[in-house]
Amino acid sequence: MNEDAGRPSPPRKLVLLGRVLGAFGVRGDVRLESWTEPRAQIFRYQPWILRTPSGVERELAGARGRDTGKHVVATLPGCDDRDAAEAMRGTEILVPRETLPPPAAGEYYWIDLEGMRVVTVEGVVLGEVAHMLSTGANDVMVVRGERERLLPFVQPDYVTSVDFGTGTITVDWDPEF
């Protein structure tokens, strides 16, 4: 007998890679904002989960495109004219986390850090990583516990270890700050 029968499966983790900015030309191509490096790398990770601004999701495979220097331009199956392309404005492009390659040693996908428990080197629990922010200077963990804290994700100065086995990030941080 399957012990997992009847248990809901854990929600799949989706990673936001970009979004549709609007139409490009009259043939149904769209301009994309891509957060991959390089920008055209977004086409490597398919199928996409497209999420409209109203929250409706659908899967799309077969997107192709190019980086024109000024924009990333995509041709999407089923998007055949300017009106259809313009109707996609604001649509988010997501992929399942498992689609992405493993991060290099010492690098992390933000989505993998979300939900991890944050404790100080003295063992004081500060809370869980709600999400991450980029400040330009360094990435910041938004940690929610008895209150919200913003902790710089700087190794080894503040983040002393990341342990996915225990789901714990250890930080050198004064709990009173």
Side-chain angles (χ1 to χ4, degrees):
M1 181 175 168
N2 182 354
E3 292 180 19
D4 291 329
R7 289 186 193 166
S9 60
R12 67 181 174 166
K13 291 183 177 183
L14 296 177
V15 179
L16 181 63
L17 294 186
R19 68 180 159 172
V20 178
L21 296 175
F24 181 84
V26 296
R27 295 187 178 149
D29 289 346
V30 294
R31 288 180 299 120
L32 302 181
E33 180 176 18
S34 170
W35 296 304
T36 62
E37 281 296 327
R39 295 185 316 172
Q41 192 80 354
I42 195 169
F43 298 106
R44 179 176 175 200
Y45 308 112
Q46 292 193 49
W48 290 347
I49 307 300
L50 299 179
R51 182 184 297 149
T52 67
S54 64
V56 176
E57 292 183 1
R58 70 179 172 100
E59 188 172 295
L60 178 102
R64 54 187 172 79
R66 65 198 180 284
D67 187 341
T68 67
K70 188 173 182 181
H71 304 287
V72 175
V73 177
T75 301
L76 307 178
C79 188
D80 300 325
D81 62 37
R82 184 173 181 81
D83 291 339
E86 196 56 40
M88 294 188 67
R89 180 183 298 268
T91 297
E92 295 176 328
I93 302 166
L94 304 109
V95 296
R97 165 60 183 91
E98 61 271 10
T99 304
L100 301 175
E107 293 183 355
Y108 308 97
Y109 287 114
W110 285 5
I111 196 163
D112 294 340
L113 300 173
E114 292 173 1
M116 291 185 75
R117 190 169 62 117
V118 179
V119 300
T120 68
V121 290
E122 292 85 19
V124 177
V125 177
L126 299 179
E128 290 186 352
V129 177
H131 61 276
M132 300 286 293
L133 299 171
S134 178
T135 64
N138 53 266
D139 297 332
V140 173
M141 294 184 291
V142 177
V143 178
R144 291 195 181 130
E146 82 282 354
R147 64 184 173 96
E148 186 173 274
R149 291 179 175 88
L150 303 178
L151 281 68
F153 193 87
V154 178
Q155 294 179 292
D157 299 345
Y158 302 112
V159 175
T160 61
S161 70
V162 176
D163 186 338
F164 288 106
T166 63
T168 304
I169 298 173
T170 304
V171 296
D172 189 356
W173 195 260
D174 181 350
E176 299 304 315
F177 188 68

